[in-house]
Amino acid sequence: MRAFTQHQGIVAPMDRSNVDTDMIIPKQFLKSIKRTGFGPNLFDELRYLDEGKPDQDCSQRPLNPDFILNQDRYKNASVLLARSNFGCGSSREHAPWALDDFGFRVIIAPSFADIFYNNCFKNGLLPIVLPEEVVDQLFRETEEKDGYQLTVDLEAKTVTTPSGESFGFDVDDFRRHCLLNGLDDIGVTLEDAELIRDYEEKRKQTAPWLFNAGN
Amino acid sequence: MAGKTLYDKLWDDHLVKQRDDGSALIYIDRQLLHEVTSPQAFEGLRLAGRKPWRIDANIATPDHNVPTTDRDKGIDGIVDPVSRTQVETLDKNCDEFGILEFKIKDQRQGIVHVIGPEQGATLPGMSIVCGDSHTSTHGAFGCLAHGIGTSEVEHVLATQCLVQKKMKNMLVKVNGKLGPGVTGKDVVLAIIGKIGTAGGTGYAIEFGGEAIRGLSMEGRMTICNMSIEAGARVGMVAVDDTTLDYVRGRPFSPKGDQWDKAVAYWNTLHSDDDAEFDKVVELDGAAIMPQVSWGTSPEMVTGVDGAVPDPAREEDPIKREGIVRALKYMGLQPNQKITDIKLDRVFIGSCTNSRIEDLREAAAVVKGRKVSPSLKQAMVVPGSGLVKVQAEQEGLDKIFIEAGLEWRDPGCSMCLAMNADKLGQGEHCASTSNRNFEGRQGFGGRTHLVSPAMAAAAAVTGHFVDVRELMH
Ligand code: SF4
């Protein structure tokens, strides 16, 4: 996995709460058996005026001019500023894949849905929870200033504005460690293979029915 | 020391390693696989040169992409080549790794969350995962069941473990008895309406109380299924005789001595009397009405006697904006009565409501009636091939067909419209599925979540109606 230590980038404001993963990447694009190539269909139904189909040339499609990612000032954004319960709904990991493929590295919101939050870390994407007031302030500043950028430091667990104001955030140590070092967590778990085998042996004694094959 | 909750017990029984940083390795007894969220996981295994840890813990079936007609054509019946590739890829992966799969023409094929319990592959006390957020369904059996992402599917394939942090405990207690015509679906919609779509985030929810105890396994599955719509990855109901009666005699259920031993353990799977929950929410079951969602999030729901809200009366600006946006998308007016919403289609199916009892409830309402001529379509999609066979043995298919509903082959179908079944732009649908998100059932489609009985009532009247008016 790609490591994440620091990132500085343009911020795009997504001003609605409960953004679900169906909205982030609609189902017709989940038919791909790859992990890449979802970027052009990120937020498909909000971004384009027509109905999106897989394997289409998106550069020819009519854009919704009101949608943030279609506005020049946000086209190269890599930090997504969002509202509460971002990423709710379906567990599809295609959602972080699409955000990543578009170029986002950081998502900031007052709260995230659990599965989505978890999926981000597996893909080198950093979801950051900041208090509602801080998010409100960042929305205001982003909208006021063209090319507004934030600097995120995962080591120091801070988000810093262009004026130098800094906000701390929480992230659990294991996830931070994996992300900072780009660790593959399957590899980390397999270091405990002995423990897993011991557990299985014990369970075979106490709950043998869990190891039956069906018929 | 306080007693343990059901979640605490399940957690402790699956704990392989507690790490210093608060994360833990949890052993997974069962993984269910389907075609949409598994291909990249298998590919990841191959790229890393890894093998599945325990083949027999996995069961697979294609469900999201399968057509609901012409099942005898098998994979050739899938018109969309991209969908077909996905189903073929699942077959190939399962064959290569030796994983049991109920393929498209197998009678045991169906929606993963229907076939697990049906086969007895979902057993009380198990830890279960699937790359699908509605895996919470299986918690109805006193299981620890999580929806996971594709990277985690790969992780479980490779290690039989999941890295998890323990969640907080929430008890949702539904007191009293439900009224006639009020089902598990209405209960869970009422719960989500009360606590909101993020109300359960970070919690494992146990559903308890007299009303829950009085529900069948089907009803409990419907409730646990939609825990995720309240933000909770895990929903659970304690084991009781209803659970054991359902599990007994299924293909993967333990037999003989093992059964007795299992039952002795399963009977401990409930929260201790002195267990402490981080949060308790109580509802009066007797006061719950049949529910209908009006908006684009499952928390946007009300009783069938209610009306669409007026954003002008909402004080929170973000919520107000949310209501305005939802009404615009849904094509509804503030204060419009729910019973005045005109419908175009009716969908009875999905992992929330496609089991035999759901179909019986719907059939009881449409029996001797006709689908309203104002509807373009009303369809019933059983959750599995076996549900379909049983329904046909009971003659339910004839009741539906005579009333003018379409009787289809099993799969996810219009729940997410990945196959050919979808809503047209602007169409309103009474749906027994679980998500009313924008575009979920088709581009521009408008979903109203209801119970099977309410969907059936809507089918025969062409608009929403309190199903209790049709019951004698
Ligand atoms: S029926 Fe719907 S919610 Fe259930 S697994 Fe299929 S697509 Fe997901």
Side-chain angles (χ1 to χ4, degrees), chain B residues 11-29:
Chain B
W11 175 271
D12 291 349
D13 285 346
H14 292 91
L15 187 64
V16 172
K17 182 185 188 179
Q18 178 67 55
R19 292 174 174 152
D20 297 338
D21 55 25
S23 69
L25 282 183
I26 293 296
Y27 189 81
I28 300 302
D29 297 313

Side-chain angles (χ1 to χ4, degrees), chain B residues 63-64 111-113 132 134 225 350-352 411-412 415-416 434-435 440:
Chain B
D63 54 4
H64 286 63
I111 306 173
V112 275
H113 310 310
D132 189 284
H134 293 101
N225 174 277
S350 90
C351 59
T352 315
C412 294
C415 173
L416 94 163
N434 43 50
R435 289 191 173 133
R440 171 85 179 179

Side-chain angles (χ1 to χ4, degrees), chain A residues 27 30-31 93 118 199-200, chain B residues 13 27 80 150-152 439:
Chain A
K27 68 248 161 184
L30 310 188
K31 297 179 182 185
E93 202 159 314
N118 204 37
Y199 173 90
E200 277 181 335
Chain B
D13 285 346
Y27 189 81
D80 178 350
T150 297
S151 295
E152 290 173 313

Side-chain angles (χ1 to χ4, degrees), chain B residues 185-200:
Chain B
K185 184 63 161 288
D186 303 300
V187 172
V188 72
L189 286 171
I191 293 170
I192 297 164
K194 183 172 168 120
I195 69 174
T197 44

Side-chain angles (χ1 to χ4, degrees), chain B residues 181-416:
Chain B
V182 177
T183 66
K185 184 63 161 288
D186 303 300
V187 172
V188 72
L189 286 171
I191 293 170
I192 297 164
K194 183 172 168 120
I195 69 174
T197 44
T201 304
Y203 289 94
I205 301 183
E206 178 176 347
F207 299 95
E210 188 188 349
I212 304 288
R213 292 261 74 84
L215 287 172
S216 64
M217 286 317 293
E218 282 88 346
R220 296 177 189 182
M221 282 189 254
T222 302
I223 291 184
C224 290
N225 174 277
M226 289 191 70
S227 319
I228 187 66
E229 261 46 77
R233 271 177 106 169
V234 166
M236 286 161 299
V237 175
V239 174
D240 60 11
D241 287 345
T242 307
T243 324
L244 301 180
D245 289 345
Y246 185 99
V247 169
R248 190 178 289 115
R250 297 193 177 260
F252 286 76
S253 299
K255 314 270 162 14
D257 288 354
Q258 275 198 4
W259 170 262
D260 298 336
K261 197 169 176 193
V263 168
Y265 169 60
W266 294 344
N267 280 328
T268 67
L269 296 176
H270 52 79
S271 291
D272 295 333
D273 291 340
D274 56 344
E276 280 173 18
F277 289 85
D278 300 290
K279 191 170 174 184
V280 177
V281 175
E282 297 203 44
L283 276 84
D284 175 10
I288 298 173
M289 286 255 162
Q291 303 281 305
V292 179
S293 77
W294 50 265
T296 52
S297 158
E299 70 186 13
M300 296 175 160
V301 66
T302 183
V304 61
D305 61 338
V308 173
D310 187 342
R313 277 194 244 146
E314 174 60 58
E315 281 168 14
D316 178 337
I318 295 183
K319 276 200 184 141
R320 191 185 320 125
E321 183 53 33
I323 297 176
V324 170
R325 196 182 281 131
L327 294 190
K328 180 161 178 252
Y329 181 84
M330 295 296 289
L332 297 173
Q333 299 305 317
N335 305 313
Q336 184 174 349
K337 277 168 59 187
I338 293 293
T339 46
D340 288 345
I341 298 172
K342 294 260 179 321
L343 294 164
D344 301 286
R345 293 180 203 262
V346 170
F347 169 63
I348 298 174
S350 90
C351 59
T352 315
N353 283 126
S354 63
R355 300 181 180 83
I356 190 70
E357 181 177 295
D358 301 314
L359 304 189
R360 286 184 195 135
E361 283 170 4
V365 174
V366 302
K367 189 168 186 182
R369 298 189 165 98
K370 291 277 179 221
V371 168
S372 164
S374 63
L375 289 183
K376 293 180 188 149
Q377 182 185 39
M379 64 196 271
V380 185
V381 184
S384 72
L386 292 173
V387 169
K388 186 173 191 223
V389 170
Q390 187 176 352
E392 289 174 353
Q393 281 165 355
E394 295 180 15
L396 304 184
D397 58 325
K398 292 208 184 61
I399 296 175
F400 288 125
I401 292 165
E402 267 163 32
L405 289 100
E406 296 170 26
W407 178 243
R408 298 291 191 95
D409 290 316
C412 294
S413 179
M414 217 202 294
C415 173
L416 94 163

